[in-house]
Amino acid sequence: MARVVVDVMLKPEILDPQGRAVQGALGRLGLDGVTDVRQGKHFVIDIDGDLEGERHDLMHRLADELLSNPVIESYEMRVLADGEEAS
Amino acid sequence: MARVVVDVMLKPEILDPQGRAVQGALGRLGLDGVTDVRQGKHFVIDIDGDLEGERHDLMHRLADELLSNPVIESYEMRVLADGEEAS
Amino acid sequence: MTRIGVVTFPGSLDDRDAARAVRLAGGEPVALWHGDDDLHGVDAVVLPGGFSYGDYLRCGAIARFAPVMSTLVDAARGGLPVLGICNGFQILCETHLLPGALTRNDSLHFICRDQRLRIESTDSAWTADYQVGDEIVIPLKNGEGGFVADESTLDALEGEGRVVARYLEVNPNGSRRDIAGIRNERGNVVGLMPHPEHAVELLTGPSADGLPFFTSILRSLVGAA
Amino acid sequence: MTDTVAHAQGSPEQTQPFSELGLKPDEYERIREILDRRPTSAELAMYSVMWSEHCSYKSSKVHLRQFGDKKPETDVLLVGIGENAGVVDIGDGWAVTFKVESHNHPSYVEPYQGAATGVGGIVRDILSMGARPVAVMDPLRFGPLDAADTRRVLPGVVAGIGGYGNCLGLPNIGGEVVFDESYLGNPLVNALCIGAMRHEDIHLASAKGVGNLVVLYGARTGGDGIGGVSVLASETFSEGGPTKRPSVQVGDPFMEKLLIEATLEVLQAGLVEGIQDLGGAGISCATSELASNGEGGMHVWLDRVPLRDASLSPEEILMSESQERMCAIVTPANLDAFLVLCRKWDVEAVVMGEVNASGRLTVDWHGERIVDVPPRTVAHEGPVYERPYARPDWQDALQADGPDDLPRPTSPADLRATLLAMVAAPNLASKSWVTSQYDRYVLGNTVLAQPEDSGMVRIDEVTGRGVAVSTDCNGRFAKLDPYEGARLALAESYRNVAATGAVPLAVTNCLNFGSPEDPSVMWQFAEATRGLADGCLELGIPVTGGNVSFYNQTGGNAILPTPVVGVLGVIDDVDRRTPMAWGPDGELIYVLGDTRDEFAGSEWAHHVHGHLGGRPPALDLARERLLAEVLVAGSRDGMLTAAHDVSDGGVAQTVVEMALRAGVGARCWVPDGLTPFSFLFSESASRAVVVVARSEELRFTEMCQARGLPAHRVGVVDSGLGADAGFAPGTQVLQVGDLFTVSLDELRQAHEGTIPAALSA
Ligand SMILES: Nc1ncnc2c1ncn2[C@@H]1O[C@H](COP(=O)(O)OP(=O)(O)O)[C@@H](O)[C@H]1O
Ligand SMILES: [Mg+2]
């Protein structure tokens, strides 16, 4: 079994209203000095069998085209070793 | 400067319709054997100065109460070393 | 009679309304199914509003891969007129038939309001019955309607007259340069965030200002035939 | 080890956790008597959840009977109380079903999901009658607008209702947003759904036909809301944060949308013998009710239920309240066609059981019998309590403490300031911050939506036949006098429907109260129920169904008694609806009905003085009926340009709302015999403001006179007053006699600013 983690973030040049709202709230709740907050998506995907070769490429392509929209977002993908924590 | 990464996920016992929708789509697009997908939020927070002591505790509390909804979600928080990548 | 296809995806909501608008304009609506890759010989297609596949991942992200879409994308590249409304616009951006993307409203709320727009381009299959500068009021209802694209794309859209409609008075969702709708180079593909199909009868809409989108396509198709 | 029936027979002395499941010792004893043995743990789960307050109505049943006993003569009721929702004949072969339900406690725990699943649940109730859901409404109540917890609860509730309803494609056409201290910690989230069908498409929840199959379809069953029904509905919140509450159900509106489409297709194709939604008590409820209403027997293979979480025990599966599931009775011959349509919509479906004539509901788990009960005893023969009730000792003092001594504004400047303060009061301020998050256009049949008096949808696109629905309740009136308060709520809702030109036909209700174990609360409940039943009889419109929500209290403090009343009316052609915005210059403004000096429970006493005491406004339902007849006749004969009911905030509020909606000003004057203050702010019942074209004036006033309805001319629509009053030419203003003038811009700012200002921080 493989566990894949994909983080999808808006590209830096795209305005992130959710991140901005969080930044404002953090400040109001007493956390000073927050200079930037970006909010993205975090996917944890469990797959039977190994994720190698073609399947690995396919997963990359799907992270790029399905899980993220390359026009506005970028992604990072990690395949976790067995038993490694997902965060 | 500190960079904090918080991942917020629905608790395992809570239905994740978003994850289910992604799971369905991954299967239709040819990725076999996906047994589970969970979709959560990924925050990247930049803070001036160090995040230690009380500030660190405050950040934890805000991750628990603001960034996540403890009724249905759990979070994991990491403080990145200078220069470490955010993913 | 001119046959206009209306695609139903799982989670489409305004498909019946789009069909009604086609009918009121004098066309024949044809129901198209997401899982069927045959366009059944329609003369044009409307991608209606809604929450295709729940829009849980990203609006339009999953619908883009429906069987009907691969046929539709080819046909649109070949000149078939396509109007994407709201979720339909999002799908058109996801398929890259139109540039840019639609992001979360800057208010972070879903918003439903009667929105004033200015028609900026009549050089499209769907806006020929307007005059440039016409001001219309039609419903807007979305949670992710903020149009974004990089500066050069925005400049190109404006420079080439491909902005079809712009928000007036209020920019309801943070769209760059108040853009409410755009078209492709050829003018056959139009994406629009507000809902002209909900402004075709005075009884149920804020106006009947949306009807010309549907009469435009009927006229341009008859003209072309 | 599985606790089988055989095992239960052999171990009569085994102790069981019945009280943890909310059963009283005598209730547990009754189960043992019914079964003539101890229940298995699965049976115990079923009984406990089905005999909870929420499912069995054990405290309210004896009072709710009045809705049947006092039912007026009516020929519009196609399906009455007792089914998932009542069904009303609206003519031309059309039937409409509507019902309101509460999701109060879950919405306090998790506002977004609680409210969302509240919408989901009521929509499935409507769907299970065979109707296409066509609209939703949401009567809401929160603590004070400026309270911190309101800022947590309200935005979440609104986002949840919008998030679910918008994604389902149901227009939200109305509701209420009310603020009061008593709802802090006990918000009320009621959700109403309206559905339409042809007469022949009405379906009932009954398992008819021996050999027919029980099909479970929709979402997979998970661990959500296990015990939610009994725990959430039968325990009062104690102090402490929401984190200690039981787990939360998450809604999947996309799945519900698929469920709606699939259900409508299988119904349309004639593949369904009986149908039931899965709501509170999940499979326990659906199977026992279907069996009890049908041949009386059913067998279920519980291990066939598709699970989201493989570790669930059979007891948990029986109790799970996972959302977005339905249950249908299908003949073996139709099964394949049924499954094909489910597959078309990507909806999972399994045969979970079979109808038989055994008179028993039996459930097997991997070949072992874990339930064997008479289904009626689970579904319909639960405990019934005659809870003690008594008029609280503080009631007399409350009624004696009238508002007469409260200082009133008299100078023009004070009256003007009071008007601006009132239109900005949280309860009277514009609710568009809320309603703009709801799609009111989808389906293309919305004729009227917020802020109109009623929501109105077209049902028949060819003839224009449609329905109007309003929900109302002033809990302060109900606190002062629960009997009168319930009648006033009914009257207000009835009036709102008539104001749009629709003929009121039928009633639904959601009775939100504190703990039934408190005799004072029980008295409020008994009085309100009696008042509503009497009122419906007097107005000649039947109660078709509703819902009871008890235990809305924190510690010893109950909410204001809040019997929310929904009235449904029919209009033969929606094209003749009467809107609230008035028309062009020169049209005449009338107040219909009598204005008395009535301020007990009023918004003025509440907002300006924080006062509650006295007796609520007098109510004469014969007059209310007459007013409605005039409003409907005025619409039918084209005499009325606009109409708007008078309630909270009085005539001033009504006139301001009409002016703002139109964007056109007016000149008003105070009729003889009234002080300006009473004229502007009194909340006397059975009144409306109407606007009449000059050409219709004579015909209209003669009609009112002939029927005996007082009609007072109090103003004229006038867009040209600004310049004379010292404003820039073209400015729209409201002029009140020679007392004061105020621009619509200033009024609008006051009216629209309050809620965004409070919630945007
Ligand atoms: N306040 C009420 N007034 C009239 N009927 C009511 C009231 N409360 C509940 N009922 C009726 O009792 C029946 C059972 O209610 P309920 O258990 O809430 O139905 P369901 O389980 O279908 O949601 C329904 O027919 C409902 O309309
Ligand atoms: Mg039901």
Side-chain angles (χ1 to χ4, degrees):
Chain A
M1 206 207 82
R3 169 162 287 190
V4 184
V5 175
V6 181
D7 290 320
V8 174
M9 298 298 282
L10 284 170
K11 292 183 176 164
E13 65 272 22
I14 303 285
L15 180 72
D16 175 5
Q18 307 190 91
R20 262 200 354 199
V22 170
Q23 184 172 349
L26 288 171
R28 278 195 302 280
L29 295 172
L31 190 70
D32 302 327
V34 178
T35 55
D36 192 33
V37 179
R38 308 287 291 173
Q39 178 176 339
K41 295 177 190 138
H42 182 70
F43 298 91
V44 180
I45 302 165
D46 289 338
I47 310 188
D48 267 344
D50 285 339
L51 194 69
E52 283 170 356
E54 267 182 41
R55 277 182 102 209
H56 186 267
D57 296 347
L58 177 58
M59 182 69 242
H60 252 298
R61 226 186 50 232
L62 292 174
D64 186 37
E65 292 180 6
L66 175 70
L67 302 185
S68 65
N69 176 352
V71 176
I72 49 170
E73 295 168 324
S74 58
Y75 76 96
E76 301 204 20
M77 174 176 138
R78 286 169 297 151
V79 183
L80 298 193
D82 262 351
E84 196 184 329
E85 272 303 301
S87 155
Chain B
M1 204 207 82
R3 170 162 287 191
V4 184
V5 176
V6 180
D7 290 320
V8 174
M9 298 297 282
L10 284 169
K11 292 181 180 165
E13 67 273 17
I14 301 280
L15 174 72
D16 178 4
Q18 317 186 66
R20 263 192 35 145
V22 172
Q23 186 174 347
L26 289 171
R28 281 194 301 279
L29 293 175
L31 189 69
D32 301 327
V34 178
T35 55
D36 191 33
V37 178
R38 309 285 290 175
Q39 177 177 337
K41 294 176 192 143
H42 182 71
F43 297 91
V44 180
I45 302 165
D46 289 337
I47 310 188
D48 267 345
D50 283 341
L51 194 68
E52 283 169 359
E54 267 182 38
R55 276 183 102 208
H56 186 265
D57 296 347
L58 177 59
M59 182 68 240
H60 253 298
R61 228 189 49 234
L62 293 173
D64 186 38
E65 293 176 6
L66 175 72
L67 302 185
S68 67
N69 174 352
V71 179
I72 52 174
E73 294 170 325
S74 59
Y75 75 97
E76 302 204 18
M77 176 176 136
R78 285 168 297 151
V79 183
L80 299 193
D82 261 354
E84 197 182 327
E85 272 303 300
S87 158
Chain C
M1 199 192 255
T2 311
R3 301 170 72 243
I4 313 280
V6 178
V7 179
T8 299
F9 298 95
S12 289
L13 304 179
D14 301 294
D15 44 349
R16 289 183 191 83
D17 307 81
R20 182 190 297 112
V22 167
R23 210 177 316 112
L24 288 174
E28 179 191 346
V30 177
L32 300 178
W33 182 244
H34 70 106
D36 182 356
D37 60 11
D38 184 349
L39 296 179
H40 299 277
V42 295
D43 305 301
V45 171
V46 178
L47 297 177
F51 292 76
S52 53
Y53 299 90
D55 275 350
Y56 289 127
L57 172 59
R58 203 172 54 251
C59 298
I62 298 181
R64 167 200 171 184
F65 294 103
V68 73
M69 286 308 297
S70 50
T71 318
L72 183 67
V73 168
D74 289 343
R77 295 222 166 92
L80 182 79
V82 178
L83 172 65
I85 303 169
C86 194
N87 196 222
F89 186 10
Q90 293 160 339
I91 295 169
L92 290 174
C93 289
E94 285 282 335
T95 59
H96 310 303
L97 280 173
L98 292 174
L102 292 143
T103 57
R104 188 89 190 265
N105 292 353
D106 58 355
S107 66
L108 302 179
H109 293 299
F110 183 96
I111 176 133
C112 176
R113 70 189 308 271
D114 298 341
Q115 178 69 44
R116 182 171 293 276
L117 304 175
R118 186 172 53 234
I119 299 294
E120 302 279 27
S121 164
T122 55
D123 265 349
S124 88
W126 300 90
T127 52
D129 277 1
Y130 290 102
Q131 306 282 317
V132 170
D134 276 356
E135 293 191 5
I136 65 175
V137 176
I138 66 179
L140 171 107
K141 49 189 186 92
N142 63 64
E144 301 192 14
F147 180 75
V148 297
D150 57 43
E151 292 299 320
S152 63
T153 304
L154 292 170
D155 290 342
L157 284 171
E158 294 194 321
E160 294 162 20
R162 288 167 54 199
V163 174
V164 163
R166 246 187 257 268
Y167 298 118
L168 290 182
E169 293 169 4
V170 172
N171 179 335
N173 44 30
S175 286
R176 303 299 311 277
R177 305 193 191 178
D178 298 333
I179 289 173
I182 58 174
R183 64 171 176 83
N184 65 353
E185 290 87 345
R186 193 164 171 172
N188 61 312
V189 178
V190 169
L192 190 69
M193 211 56 215
H195 289 260
E197 82 283 17
H198 286 299
V200 294
E201 290 180 279
L202 285 176
L203 187 63
T204 53
S207 70
D209 293 350
L211 202 53
F213 277 92
F214 302 93
T215 55
S216 294
I217 185 64
L218 294 177
R219 189 136 41 160
S220 70
L221 286 168
V222 170
Chain D
M1 196 196 80
T2 313
D3 188 19
T4 62
V5 169
H7 182 248
Q9 256 147 359
S11 56
E13 296 319 319
Q14 184 168 319
T15 53
Q16 295 189 282
F18 61 86
S19 60
E20 288 82 340
L21 288 167
L23 286 168
K24 301 272 185 290
D26 56 324
E27 292 172 344
Y28 178 66
E29 259 330 295
R30 242 194 83 204
I31 297 169
R32 295 188 69 123
E33 270 163 38
I34 289 168
L35 299 177
D36 201 18
R37 60 172 161 80
R38 77 161 174 88
T40 65
S41 58
E43 289 165 342
L44 190 65
M46 269 182 121
Y47 278 105
S48 72
V49 75
M50 288 300 290
W51 285 11
S52 70
E53 185 66 58
H54 178 87
C55 291
S56 73
Y57 290 87
K58 55 190 170 191
S59 302
S60 54
K61 226 174 207 161
V62 293
H63 300 280
L64 297 179
R65 281 194 191 121
Q66 296 172 83
F67 296 142
D69 298 345
K70 298 181 189 169
K71 186 159 65 90
E73 284 289 324
T74 172
D75 48 11
V76 303
L77 205 54
L78 300 174
V79 174
I81 293 183
E83 283 291 334
N84 284 314
V87 181
V88 179
D89 179 7
I90 63 155
D92 285 353
W94 285 104
V96 166
T97 176
F98 75 129
K99 187 176 172 195
V100 57
E101 256 189 9
S102 64
H103 230 219
N104 303 338
H105 298 187
S107 303
Y108 176 69
V109 176
E110 212 310 282
Y112 185 98
Q113 294 298 344
T117 52
V119 174
I122 190 65
V123 167
R124 287 191 299 281
D125 261 326
I126 293 308
L127 185 61
S128 70
M129 298 308 298
R132 171 174 280 279
V134 296
V136 294
M137 300 172 77
D138 59 327
L140 307 177
R141 302 218 166 16
F142 303 101
L145 176 58
D146 54 9
D149 204 48
T150 301
R151 283 202 296 274
R152 171 185 75 95
V153 175
L154 188 153
V157 164
V158 169
I161 288 170
Y164 205 99
N166 295 342
C167 187
L168 275 191
L170 292 178
N172 186 308
I173 60 169
E176 298 167 80
V177 182
V178 178
F179 302 95
D180 185 90
E181 186 71 37
S182 73
Y183 303 118
L184 189 62
N186 306 279
L188 301 186
V189 176
N190 295 176
L192 181 148
C193 183
I194 307 160
M197 69 200 121
R198 304 294 298 169
H199 284 189
E200 59 274 19
D201 294 333
I202 296 173
H203 278 75
L204 300 179
S206 85
K208 295 233 170 64
V210 169
N212 284 343
L213 306 170
V214 183
V215 180
L216 177 69
Y217 65 109
R220 292 183 157 233
T221 299
D224 16 14
I226 287 175
V229 161
S230 44
V231 179
L232 278 181
S234 23
E235 276 180 17
T236 308
F237 285 150
S238 53
E239 306 292 327
T243 44
K244 296 193 194 94
R245 314 279 186 236
S247 83
V248 172
Q249 304 153 49
V250 169
D252 180 354
F254 173 58
M255 174 56 84
E256 180 114 329
K257 167 72 176 165
L258 300 183
L259 203 56
I260 292 175
E261 298 303 333
T263 300
L264 291 172
E265 286 202 12
V266 294
L267 289 170
Q268 208 58 51
L271 304 176
V272 173
E273 309 304 309
I275 187 162
Q276 170 73 302
D277 59 297
L278 274 76
I283 293 176
S284 294
C285 178
T287 54
S288 62
E289 283 190 358
L290 281 165
S292 179
N293 293 340
E295 306 291 345
M298 179 183 290
H299 180 69
V300 173
W301 296 278
L302 197 62
D303 44 84
R304 294 188 184 177
V305 172
L307 300 180
R308 209 168 76 225
D309 171 357
S311 68
L312 289 180
S313 70
E315 294 82 5
E316 290 173 315
I317 297 167
L318 283 169
M319 292 172 84
S320 164
E321 293 185 1
S322 284
Q323 302 288 299
E324 292 96 19
R325 299 178 298 164
M326 297 279 287
C327 192
I329 306 298
V330 180
T331 66
N334 284 333
L335 180 66
D336 283 343
F338 187 100
L339 297 179
V340 165
L341 285 176
C342 284
R343 226 170 293 133
K344 169 180 170 191
W345 288 101
D346 253 331
V347 169
E348 202 171 354
V350 297
V351 175
M352 144 178 98
E354 196 178 73
V355 179
N356 59 40
S358 65
R360 312 286 292 185
L361 172 62
T362 50
V363 177
D364 283 0
W365 176 250
H366 295 294
E368 294 190 293
R369 181 69 34 104
I370 56 167
V371 171
D372 184 349
V373 297
R376 275 203 75 76
T377 65
V378 179
H380 296 292
E381 292 166 0
V384 176
Y385 290 156
E386 300 259 7
R387 297 237 188 236
Y389 58 89
R391 190 170 197 271
D393 46 18
W394 43 260
Q395 196 76 34
D396 284 340
L398 182 70
Q399 291 189 341
D401 174 28
D404 293 348
D405 298 334
L406 301 176
R408 301 176 166 196
T410 49
S411 74
D414 286 351
L415 284 162
R416 187 179 188 280
T418 302
L419 177 65
L420 283 163
M422 290 289 286
V423 299
N427 284 332
L428 300 182
S430 165
K431 302 303 183 314
S432 65
W433 187 90
V434 171
T435 57
S436 69
Q437 298 186 47
Y438 302 150
D439 184 349
R440 61 182 178 276
Y441 284 111
V442 65
L443 296 181
N445 285 312
T446 305
V447 177
L448 297 175
Q450 324 85 343
E452 300 280 343
D453 284 328
S454 304
M456 184 182 286
V457 287
R458 178 171 62 187
I459 299 295
D460 187 324
E461 291 194 32
V462 177
T463 64
R465 182 168 293 267
V467 294
V469 180
S470 173
T471 72
D472 292 283
C473 178
N474 182 330
R476 292 189 306 267
F477 292 165
K479 173 107 182 218
L480 297 179
D481 183 339
Y483 179 87
E484 286 299 327
R487 290 184 354 121
L488 283 159
L490 169 69
E492 185 180 345
S493 192
Y494 181 89
R495 189 184 319 139
N496 274 298
V497 166
T500 63
V503 180
L505 280 192
V507 174
T508 185
N509 65 76
C510 192
L511 306 175
N512 306 276
F513 287 78
S515 166
E517 294 161 38
D518 175 344
S520 304
V521 170
M522 206 54 216
W523 175 79
Q524 293 175 328
F525 179 79
E527 283 292 285
T529 311
R530 187 170 68 87
L532 184 57
D534 287 351
C536 289
L537 181 59
E538 216 178 325
L539 288 176
I541 53 177
V543 174
T544 64
N547 179 247
V548 177
S549 172
F550 279 132
Y551 297 102
N552 297 289
Q553 70 178 60
T554 308
N557 299 325
I559 57 164
L560 293 176
T562 313
V564 170
V565 179
V567 170
L568 174 127
V570 62
I571 182 164
D572 49 17
D573 184 358
V574 290
D575 209 15
R576 68 165 177 80
R577 83 263 181 224
T578 313
M580 66 184 264
W582 55 43
D585 274 348
E587 300 211 327
L588 303 165
I589 302 169
Y590 275 83
V591 172
L592 306 182
D594 289 319
T595 302
R596 291 173 294 266
D597 192 278
E598 293 180 301
F599 287 93
S602 69
E603 190 58 37
W604 173 77
H606 171 72
H607 180 65
V608 176
H609 295 286
H611 176 270
L612 178 60
R615 288 182 170 281
L619 177 63
D620 172 1
L621 286 175
R623 167 59 69 80
E624 194 69 57
R625 212 167 159 155
L626 179 61
L627 174 67
E629 281 166 15
V630 164
L631 289 167
V632 171
S635 154
R636 182 166 291 136
D637 297 344
M639 289 183 269
L640 298 182
T641 307
H644 192 18
D645 92 300
V646 179
S647 55
D648 313 56
V651 166
Q653 179 73 12
T654 302
V655 165
V656 167
E657 286 174 355
M658 295 174 89
L660 290 180
R661 188 92 168 129
V664 178
R667 190 156 45 85
C668 297
W669 49 84
V670 180
D672 290 344
L674 285 174
T675 64
F677 174 72
S678 294
F679 169 65
L680 289 171
F681 302 114
S682 166
E683 296 189 9
S684 295
S686 313
R687 294 180 302 158
V689 171
V690 296
V691 177
V692 189
R694 281 182 193 272
S695 57
E696 300 296 333
E697 183 180 22
L698 194 60
R699 193 155 70 110
F700 181 74
T701 50
E702 280 178 350
M703 174 177 75
C704 290
Q705 197 162 27
R707 297 183 184 223
L709 182 70
H712 309 275
R713 191 160 121 177
V714 300
V716 54
V717 178
D718 192 338
S719 65
L721 297 167
D724 280 351
F727 293 87
T731 305
Q732 296 304 303
V733 303
L734 196 62
Q735 196 180 76
V736 181
D738 51 7
L739 293 167
F740 63 84
T741 302
V742 54
S743 75
L744 296 198
D745 288 342
E746 191 177 358
L747 285 167
R748 192 183 301 279
Q749 251 180 8
H751 187 55
E752 295 180 356
T754 305
I755 293 185
L759 296 179
S760 59

PDB file of all heavy atoms in Angstrom, chain D residues 84 99 101 125 128 276-277 289, ligand 2:
ATOM      1  N   ASN D  84     -45.089  11.343   6.423  1.00  0.00           N
ATOM      2  CA  ASN D  84     -43.876  12.155   6.436  1.00  0.00           C
ATOM      3  C   ASN D  84     -44.199  13.634   6.311  1.00  0.00           C
ATOM      4  O   ASN D  84     -43.555  14.468   6.925  1.00  0.00           O
ATOM      5  CB  ASN D  84     -42.948  11.719   5.313  1.00  0.00           C
ATOM      6  CG  ASN D  84     -42.254  10.421   5.663  1.00  0.00           C
ATOM      7  OD1 ASN D  84     -41.760  10.258   6.762  1.00  0.00           O
ATOM      8  ND2 ASN D  84     -42.265   9.487   4.745  1.00  0.00           N
ATOM      9  N   LYS D  99     -43.600  21.001   4.824  1.00  0.00           N
ATOM     10  CA  LYS D  99     -43.385  20.678   6.225  1.00  0.00           C
ATOM     11  C   LYS D  99     -42.165  21.431   6.741  1.00  0.00           C
ATOM     12  O   LYS D  99     -41.216  21.679   5.996  1.00  0.00           O
ATOM     13  CB  LYS D  99     -43.162  19.173   6.379  1.00  0.00           C
ATOM     14  CG  LYS D  99     -43.109  18.733   7.841  1.00  0.00           C
ATOM     15  CD  LYS D  99     -42.978  17.226   7.944  1.00  0.00           C
ATOM     16  CE  LYS D  99     -42.731  16.806   9.365  1.00  0.00           C
ATOM     17  NZ  LYS D  99     -42.253  15.440   9.459  1.00  0.00           N
ATOM     18  N   GLU D 101     -39.261  21.494   9.915  1.00  0.00           N
ATOM     19  CA  GLU D 101     -38.631  20.683  10.952  1.00  0.00           C
ATOM     20  C   GLU D 101     -37.509  21.451  11.616  1.00  0.00           C
ATOM     21  O   GLU D 101     -36.930  22.354  11.028  1.00  0.00           O
ATOM     22  CB  GLU D 101     -38.058  19.392  10.343  1.00  0.00           C
ATOM     23  CG  GLU D 101     -38.943  18.219  10.660  1.00  0.00           C
ATOM     24  CD  GLU D 101     -38.327  16.887  10.264  1.00  0.00           C
ATOM     25  OE1 GLU D 101     -37.146  16.830   9.889  1.00  0.00           O
ATOM     26  OE2 GLU D 101     -39.060  15.910  10.341  1.00  0.00           O
ATOM     27  N   ASP D 125     -37.911  14.270   3.461  1.00  0.00           N
ATOM     28  CA  ASP D 125     -39.294  14.053   3.885  1.00  0.00           C
ATOM     29  C   ASP D 125     -40.267  14.380   2.747  1.00  0.00           C
ATOM     30  O   ASP D 125     -41.223  13.649   2.492  1.00  0.00           O
ATOM     31  CB  ASP D 125     -39.624  14.963   5.086  1.00  0.00           C
ATOM     32  CG  ASP D 125     -39.522  14.219   6.407  1.00  0.00           C
ATOM     33  OD1 ASP D 125     -39.837  13.018   6.429  1.00  0.00           O
ATOM     34  OD2 ASP D 125     -39.150  14.840   7.416  1.00  0.00           O
ATOM     35  N   SER D 128     -40.053  11.921  -0.051  1.00  0.00           N
ATOM     36  CA  SER D 128     -40.637  10.616   0.234  1.00  0.00           C
ATOM     37  C   SER D 128     -42.149  10.606   0.064  1.00  0.00           C
ATOM     38  O   SER D 128     -42.768   9.544   0.096  1.00  0.00           O
ATOM     39  CB  SER D 128     -40.252  10.151   1.639  1.00  0.00           C
ATOM     40  OG  SER D 128     -40.908  10.948   2.586  1.00  0.00           O
ATOM     41  N   GLN D 276     -39.758   5.642   1.884  1.00  0.00           N
ATOM     42  CA  GLN D 276     -39.527   6.286   3.167  1.00  0.00           C
ATOM     43  C   GLN D 276     -38.116   6.862   3.171  1.00  0.00           C
ATOM     44  O   GLN D 276     -37.183   6.251   2.653  1.00  0.00           O
ATOM     45  CB  GLN D 276     -39.691   5.233   4.270  1.00  0.00           C
ATOM     46  CG  GLN D 276     -39.254   5.648   5.653  1.00  0.00           C
ATOM     47  CD  GLN D 276     -40.218   6.629   6.303  1.00  0.00           C
ATOM     48  OE1 GLN D 276     -40.471   7.694   5.757  1.00  0.00           O
ATOM     49  NE2 GLN D 276     -40.749   6.270   7.446  1.00  0.00           N
ATOM     50  N   ASP D 277     -38.003   8.054   3.753  1.00  0.00           N
ATOM     51  CA  ASP D 277     -36.669   8.631   3.898  1.00  0.00           C
ATOM     52  C   ASP D 277     -36.021   8.075   5.157  1.00  0.00           C
ATOM     53  O   ASP D 277     -36.698   7.575   6.044  1.00  0.00           O
ATOM     54  CB  ASP D 277     -36.772  10.152   4.029  1.00  0.00           C
ATOM     55  CG  ASP D 277     -37.617  10.545   5.216  1.00  0.00           C
ATOM     56  OD1 ASP D 277     -38.817  10.217   5.213  1.00  0.00           O
ATOM     57  OD2 ASP D 277     -37.083  11.154   6.160  1.00  0.00           O
ATOM     58  N   GLU D 289     -41.389   1.634  10.541  1.00  0.00           N
ATOM     59  CA  GLU D 289     -42.544   2.399  10.056  1.00  0.00           C
ATOM     60  C   GLU D 289     -43.117   1.804   8.781  1.00  0.00           C
ATOM     61  O   GLU D 289     -44.330   1.685   8.622  1.00  0.00           O
ATOM     62  CB  GLU D 289     -42.156   3.867   9.826  1.00  0.00           C
ATOM     63  CG  GLU D 289     -42.073   4.634  11.136  1.00  0.00           C
ATOM     64  CD  GLU D 289     -41.934   6.145  10.966  1.00  0.00           C
ATOM     65  OE1 GLU D 289     -41.866   6.622   9.805  1.00  0.00           O
ATOM     66  OE2 GLU D 289     -41.890   6.835  11.990  1.00  0.00           O
TER      67      GLU D 289
HETATM   68 MG    MG E   2     -39.960  11.368   7.410  1.00  0.00          MG
END
